[in-house]
């Protein structure tokens, strides 16, 4: 009985909300130098931007970010895109983030979500997980996982959404 | 349970009411994961009979945000827990719910929350779903940002313990404060300089009723005088100058006789220090860590992975290839000293070795030893009721716990073909798997994989792994392994994979194959995968915390989704 009541309450809870497009969560994360950055301050000169969740120990994540890195300067010129790469490495591996980012010559904005607070707030199950976020912070599109060639989908989607 | 319902009902009421007035909108987001396992008895690999036939774990998060207000719940069910999860998880309910509000410079959270002070040496509340580890706090957290560059935090509450009603049991209370000061932001003249500096400090204490604990020495019983309040403090810094960075944290803990340290009265301490130099194309990093009697739980009789107040991860490399991680090191919380080093370099494109796309090289080394402990005069090492042992800050013990050197090369050969190569040599002390006193395991491990892009959304991947070791004496030391597999990704959404892990030529002459086939798809944020085959008994480790995964033979399905 209690469980039914609980379920009913949860349904009511969900129904009583005016469905609106979800916005990017505003959570404190850190940049690679340890400075606190709020994710609410992510921006791209009035254009949408991409948020990629990754970790130093996640092979598909590195595949995705390396594939995008090769195309990134062309993409930037063509579309003005900006990528925020959010590492969910914790104390064990977060020290490797800056080393890896610099040695890989990535040009992304890199932040570290050390205790997965941002990951939790964005409803991410496992990395990699990619979002396209509008200039006003609205989540326009998201995708979980990475398969070879997915980076092309992401940029195609980005072009489509930024021309709207 | 009643409290949750009342909480949710009142929150719902507030929104219905507010919406009626047209003041508030709101956003609901969330995610979902379910794992379903069916396994049958298989004597060749040691898979036990599963009475329930079908096991499942499910998590669903629902998060509501409206401007500076947010609230959330997590539903979990373990009916019954999949193999390797603690049986105490059996059941379902809402173990996690919270409301949070930001006003001016304050952020207040009531209910459950996760938090970390500094590197977590004295406090970290977190979840690692795939390990069945969750020490969510239940209580209140206040975060204040009174001035640019200053963050102050205060926490109080109790930690989750499976499905226990934590307000009815005797587990300890956890209280703490933390301050972080970014001098680069607070001092305007530093803001434009290449120097960055931040400092931080924290204090955490637990309170648990003393209870009674007797120890026996020379046939006499002694009652221990147990401290009820246990305090811990830590200071940290983070310094950067151009390409150079140095950071560290030093932690101390008061007398805390408990089941993990065999009720010794020695005070604890831990140190973590990292130096780094990185420029475009090159990164060098050195990290040292020392732990001296730092088990810190909110219940002194607890052992295992629950009720940890602090987090002391291993600094060894976190491998994702399965044979590379067969011998994963786990932190020895009663005492260890070690270091790790990384060099990462990208050979520029257009050079002989770099080729058209450049070549990445990563070299990693780690070495962990015991502390050099001297027994207290007249007593054994770690003798209950004494100070346990004596040691110096820089003395390294003779017993090796773990060492590894590994080299990884990532090379893109052409626009549609890339390869990874990795070699590792590991020396592993089974103490990390709870089998102290067994012979060291010396293993050479190599992996090679290649991905070939057939078309825009079609690729094929092949992988070969091999592990060579002479040690073949127990369930956790089973000689040589060979693994091969292939994966086919197609139509942008689908994958098919097959692999075989082969434990060949063991001393008993066993030749065991662990075949596995899997298929799955991803549409947007929904991912479904289904696999069928055998899973070896092993240890699954994330962040230096491990859990045993029993052998299984059968089906495993995972569905994840976000909205």
């Amino acid at each position: 009985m209690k469980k039914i009541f609980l379920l009913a309450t949860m349904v009511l809870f969900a129904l009583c909300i005016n469905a609106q497009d979800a916005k990017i969560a505003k959570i404190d994360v850190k940049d690679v130098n340890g400075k606190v950055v709020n994710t609410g301050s992510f921006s791209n000169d009035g254009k949408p931007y991409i948020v990629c969740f990754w970790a130093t120990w996640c092979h598909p994540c590195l595949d995705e970010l390396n594939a995008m890195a090769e195309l990134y300067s062309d993409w930037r010129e063509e579309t003005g895109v900006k990528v925020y790469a959010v590492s969910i490495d914790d104390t064990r591996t977060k020290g490797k983030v800056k080393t890896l980012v610099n040695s890989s010559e990535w040009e992304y904005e890199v932040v570290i979500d050390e205790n997965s607070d941002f990951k939790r707030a964005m409803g991410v199950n496992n990395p990699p997980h990619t979002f396209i976020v509008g200039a006003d912070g609205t989540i326009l599109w998201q995708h979980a996982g990475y398969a070879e060639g997915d980076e092309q989908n992401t940029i195609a989607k980005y072009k489509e959404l930024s021309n709207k | 349970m009643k409290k949750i319902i009342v909480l949710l009902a009142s929150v719902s009421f507030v929104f219905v009411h507010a919406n009626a007035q047209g003041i508030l909108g709101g956003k609901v987001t969330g995610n979902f994961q379910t794992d379903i396992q069916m396994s049958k008895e298989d004597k060749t690999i040691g898979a036990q009979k599963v009475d329930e036939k079908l096991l499942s774990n499910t998590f669903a998060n629902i998060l509501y945000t409206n401007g500076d207000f947010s609230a959330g719940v997590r539903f979990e069910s373990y009916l019954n827990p999949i193999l390797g999860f603690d049986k105490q998880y059996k059941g379902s309910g809402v173990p996690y719910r919270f409301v949070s509000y930001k006003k001016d410079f304050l952020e207040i959270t009531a209910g459950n929350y996760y938090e970390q002070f500094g590197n977590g040496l004295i406090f970290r509340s977190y979840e690692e779903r795939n390990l069945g580890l969750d020490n969510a706090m239940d209580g209140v957290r206040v975060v204040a940002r009174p001035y640019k560059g200053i963050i102050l935090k205060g926490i109080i509450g109790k930690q989750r313990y499976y499905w226990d009603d934590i307000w009815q049991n005797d587990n300890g209370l956890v209280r703490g404060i933390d301050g972080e000061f970014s001098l680069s932001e607070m001092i305007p003249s530093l803001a434009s300089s290449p120097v960055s500096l931040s400092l931080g400090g924290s204090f955490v204490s637990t309170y648990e009723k003393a209870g009674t604990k007797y120890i026996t020495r020379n046939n006499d019983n002694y009652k221990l005088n147990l401290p009820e309040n246990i305090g811990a403090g830590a200071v940290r810094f983070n310094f950067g100058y151009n390409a150079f960075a140095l950071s560290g944290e030093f932690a101390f803990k008061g007398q805390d006789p408990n089941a993990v340290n065999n009720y010794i009265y020695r005070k604890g301490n831990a140190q973590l220090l990292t130096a780094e130099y990185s420029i475009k194309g090159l990164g060098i990093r050195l990290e040292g860590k020392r732990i001296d009697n730092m088990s810190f739980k909110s219940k002194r009789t607890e052992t295992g992975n629950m009720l940890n107040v602090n987090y002391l991860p291993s600094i060894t490399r976190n491998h994702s290839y399965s044979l590379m991680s067969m011998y994963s090191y786990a932190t020895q919380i009663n005492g260890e000293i070690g270091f790790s080093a990384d060099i990462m370099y990208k050979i520029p494109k257009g050079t002989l070795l770099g080729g058209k796309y450049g070549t990445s090289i990563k070299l990693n080394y780690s070495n962990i030893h015991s502390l050099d402990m001297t027994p207290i005069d007249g007593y054994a090492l770690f003798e209950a009721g004494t100070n346990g042992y004596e040691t110096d800050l820089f003395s390294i013990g003779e017993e090796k716990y773990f060492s590894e050197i590994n080299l990884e090369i990532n090379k893109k050969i052409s626009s549609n073909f890339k390869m990874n190569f990795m070699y590792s040599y590991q020396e592993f002390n089974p103490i990390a798997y709870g089998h102290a006193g067994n012979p060291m395991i010396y293993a050479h491990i190599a992996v090679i994989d290649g991905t070939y892009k057939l078309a825009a959304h079609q690729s094929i991947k092949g992988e070969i792994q091999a592990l060579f070791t002479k040690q073949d004496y127990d369930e956790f030391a089973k000689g040589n392994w060979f693994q091969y597999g292939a994966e086919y990704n197609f139509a942008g959404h689908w994958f098919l994979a097959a692999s075989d892990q082969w434990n060949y030529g063991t001393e008993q002459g066993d030749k065991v194959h662990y075949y596995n086939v899997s298929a799955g798809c991803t549409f947007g944020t929904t991912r479904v995968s289904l696999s069928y085959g055998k899973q070896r008994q092993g240890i699954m480790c994330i962040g230096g915390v491990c859990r045993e995964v029993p052998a299984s033979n059968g089906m495993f399905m995972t569905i994840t989704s976000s909205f």
Side-chain angles (χ1 to χ4, degrees):
Chain A
M1 184 60 206
K2 263 187 189 169
K3 282 198 178 132
I4 295 168
F5 186 49
L6 178 69
L7 190 69
T9 317
M10 283 169 81
V11 169
L12 174 68
F13 177 67
L15 284 178
C16 71
I17 286 149
N18 270 341
Q20 279 191 3
D21 291 329
K23 289 243 159 75
I24 186 169
K26 294 173 186 169
I27 305 286
D28 281 348
V29 292
K30 285 184 172 171
D31 72 8
V32 291
N33 298 317
K35 189 183 153 194
V36 175
V37 177
N38 193 282
T39 55
S41 70
F42 286 2
S43 64
N44 181 26
D45 291 334
K47 284 192 284 287
Y49 53 89
I50 294 176
V51 175
C52 291
F53 281 85
W54 70 286
T56 57
W57 39 260
C58 158
H59 273 281
C61 304
L62 301 183
D63 284 346
E64 177 178 40
L65 291 170
N66 280 326
M68 286 182 7
E70 272 176 38
L71 306 161
Y72 195 48
S73 55
D74 289 346
W75 284 1
R76 275 186 76 83
E77 251 173 56
E78 195 187 333
T79 64
V81 70
K82 185 172 181 181
V83 172
Y84 285 90
V86 181
S87 143
I88 58 159
D89 287 273
D90 72 13
T91 299
R92 177 172 188 187
T93 46
K94 71 170 181 190
K96 290 179 200 247
V97 171
K98 191 179 175 187
T99 320
L100 181 73
V101 167
N102 278 344
S103 68
S104 307
E105 302 181 343
W106 291 348
E107 304 285 341
Y108 314 126
E109 305 288 326
V110 179
V111 296
I112 304 174
D113 180 26
E114 216 180 317
N115 205 23
S116 292
D117 296 327
F118 187 46
K119 171 183 175 247
R120 231 179 333 267
M122 295 292 280
V124 170
N125 281 301
N126 298 301
H129 194 122
T130 305
F131 293 85
I132 298 176
V133 182
D136 62 350
T138 308
I139 294 165
L140 302 173
W141 179 83
Q142 53 177 316
H143 182 81
Y146 173 77
E148 208 61 34
D150 275 355
E151 70 280 3
Q152 297 294 352
N153 277 5
T154 307
I155 195 69
K157 205 76 203 171
Y158 180 85
K159 283 181 194 164
E160 183 192 320
L161 291 165
S162 54
N163 289 333
K164 263 185 186 168
Chain B
M1 188 57 106
K2 262 187 191 158
K3 277 190 222 157
I4 302 167
I5 294 167
V6 171
L7 180 77
L8 280 176
S10 53
V11 166
S12 304
F13 175 76
V14 169
F15 292 115
V16 172
H17 191 65
N19 274 343
Q21 296 179 335
I23 299 168
L24 294 175
K27 294 128 236 163
V28 177
T29 54
N31 59 333
F32 171 83
Q33 174 175 339
T34 186
D35 295 314
I36 296 164
Q37 183 175 43
M38 292 170 83
S39 182
K40 61 185 181 203
E41 188 175 14
D42 184 337
K43 289 197 172 105
T44 58
I45 62 167
Q48 307 272 323
K49 185 169 176 270
V50 175
D51 294 334
E52 300 94 327
K53 303 245 191 284
L54 185 143
L55 303 167
S56 81
N57 288 6
T58 301
F59 307 83
N61 280 297
I62 299 173
L63 182 67
Y64 171 84
T65 353
N66 192 330
D68 288 330
F69 177 85
S70 63
V73 288
R74 183 171 68 231
F75 172 82
E76 290 179 15
S77 85
Y78 306 82
L79 299 167
N80 285 340
I82 60 174
L83 296 174
F85 273 70
D86 199 300
K87 291 274 180 272
Q88 295 181 72
Y89 269 118
K90 189 172 149 185
S92 72
V94 178
Y96 181 87
R97 74 283 180 269
F98 75 94
V99 289
S100 178
Y101 190 73
K102 281 180 206 158
K103 178 79 181 162
D104 303 323
F105 63 88
L106 276 188
E107 179 185 334
I108 294 160
T109 307
N112 296 104
Y113 57 88
Y114 295 103
E115 181 57 77
Q116 175 175 332
F117 291 170
N119 292 295
L121 296 186
I122 61 165
F123 181 70
R124 187 189 188 200
S125 163
Y126 72 113
E127 57 165 338
E128 202 64 79
R129 192 182 297 172
N130 296 315
L131 288 181
L133 192 159
D134 183 16
N135 63 356
M137 290 283 289
D138 191 1
V140 179
R141 173 182 60 176
V142 179
V143 180
R145 297 175 184 82
Y147 186 78
K148 202 177 168 207
I150 299 180
I151 299 176
L152 305 171
K153 292 173 183 170
I155 53 122
I156 187 162
K158 285 180 84 170
Q159 297 173 301
R160 177 177 182 189
Y161 192 72
Y162 303 105
W163 293 105
D164 262 25
D165 183 345
I166 56 171
W167 301 106
Q168 296 302 317
N169 68 24
D170 289 331
N171 297 357
L173 266 176
V174 182
R175 299 78 52 102
I177 49 167
D178 180 76
E180 179 144 320
F181 308 90
S182 166
L183 301 182
S184 316
E185 285 174 86
M186 291 159 66
I187 304 167
S189 60
L190 268 181
S192 54
S193 81
V195 176
S196 69
L197 181 64
S198 66
L199 301 172
S202 42
F203 180 78
V204 173
S205 96
T206 57
Y207 169 80
E208 185 192 355
K209 272 187 200 150
T212 38
K213 166 78 187 170
Y214 288 95
I215 57 163
T216 310
R217 189 183 292 157
N218 304 331
N219 294 325
D220 286 327
N221 280 337
Y222 294 89
K223 183 176 174 238
L224 291 183
N225 184 11
L226 296 169
E228 294 195 319
N229 287 286
I230 292 152
V235 289
R236 59 183 186 269
F237 70 95
N238 201 325
F239 169 80
Y241 179 74
N242 289 332
F244 178 75
L246 185 70
S247 64
E249 182 161 7
F250 310 103
F252 312 88
K253 187 171 66 86
Q255 288 187 337
D256 179 16
N258 59 52
V260 176
N261 68 16
N262 196 36
Y263 293 92
I264 62 169
Y265 282 74
R266 184 184 165 82
K267 290 176 180 171
N269 64 82
Q271 299 80 28
L272 189 67
L273 198 62
T274 305
E276 183 185 14
Y277 175 82
S278 70
I279 52 172
K280 200 174 174 188
L282 173 71
I284 300 170
R285 206 179 69 89
L286 198 62
E287 182 173 2
K289 193 182 75 166
R290 183 179 171 280
I291 291 171
D292 181 352
N293 188 26
M294 275 303 279
S295 167
F296 193 19
K297 288 175 182 283
S298 61
K299 186 180 177 188
R300 65 176 71 80
T301 54
E302 184 74 10
T303 56
N305 283 342
M306 294 298 270
L307 298 176
N308 283 326
V309 176
N310 62 351
Y311 176 65
L312 298 163
S314 138
I315 52 170
T316 57
R317 183 168 173 165
N318 194 5
H319 288 292
S320 48
Y321 289 109
S322 58
L323 294 189
M324 288 278 172
S325 61
M326 183 167 280
Y327 299 116
S328 285
Y329 182 65
T331 305
Q332 296 306 296
I333 219 143
N334 284 335
E336 64 165 45
I337 182 165
F339 77 99
S340 77
D342 283 283
I343 300 175
M344 301 185 193
Y345 178 61
K346 188 167 182 182
I347 303 172
K349 45 182 122 175
T351 58
L352 183 67
L353 290 171
K356 193 178 171 190
Y357 300 93
T359 303
S360 283
I361 296 183
K362 294 169 188 151
L363 185 67
N364 165 267
Y365 177 76
S366 57
N367 194 330
I368 320 284
H369 273 254
S370 62
L371 294 182
D372 186 19
M373 296 174 177
T374 319
I376 306 290
D377 269 350
Y379 300 104
L381 266 183
F382 282 95
E383 179 148 346
T386 71
N387 268 347
Y389 59 91
E390 279 170 12
T391 186
D392 296 326
L393 189 57
F394 296 105
S395 60
I396 299 171
E398 274 175 16
E399 188 175 7
K400 179 180 265 191
Y401 286 155
F402 185 79
S403 78
E404 176 182 15
I405 183 156
N406 65 69
L407 175 73
E408 181 181 354
I409 299 171
N410 317 114
K411 175 87 190 131
K412 188 165 173 178
I413 313 268
S414 69
S415 63
N416 48 19
F417 184 52
K418 60 181 182 186
M419 288 185 78
N420 299 309
F421 166 81
M422 193 162 167
Y423 165 78
S424 170
Y425 172 67
Q426 299 174 2
E427 297 187 0
F428 178 83
N429 186 334
I431 193 171
Y433 286 174
H435 300 283
N438 280 289
M440 289 286 282
I441 295 163
Y442 303 90
H444 297 269
I445 309 154
V447 175
I448 187 162
D449 75 40
T451 308
Y452 189 77
K453 206 163 157 181
L454 300 159
H457 291 291
Q458 211 182 84
S459 61
I460 188 155
K461 184 178 175 182
E463 184 182 289
I464 296 171
Q465 304 187 26
L467 182 152
F468 305 102
T469 178
K470 291 198 175 112
Q471 281 68 46
D472 174 18
Y473 58 80
D474 208 330
E475 280 303 303
F476 54 88
K478 293 179 84 163
N480 297 337
W481 291 80
F482 186 72
Q483 181 178 337
Y484 53 97
E487 186 182 314
Y488 175 51
N489 279 281
F490 59 104
H493 299 289
W494 298 84
F495 79 88
L496 283 174
S499 66
D500 174 25
Q501 217 170 52
W502 183 26
N503 189 195
Y504 71 96
T506 62
E507 215 163 65
Q508 294 79 23
D510 294 341
K511 287 183 171 40
V512 183
H513 287 275
Y514 296 77
Y515 295 110
N516 201 293
V517 289
S518 56
C521 63
T522 307
F523 285 90
T525 60
T526 301
R527 194 174 170 84
V528 181
S529 73
L530 182 69
S531 67
Y532 186 84
K534 297 183 183 186
Q535 171 72 44
R536 75 176 158 89
Q537 180 242 338
I539 308 254
M540 179 176 167
C541 298
I542 301 172
V545 176
C546 304
R547 105 175 133 91
E548 273 188 64
V549 182
S552 61
N553 180 1
M555 183 213 76
F556 200 97
M557 184 164 95
T558 297
I559 303 170
T560 57
S561 177
S562 301
F563 57 95

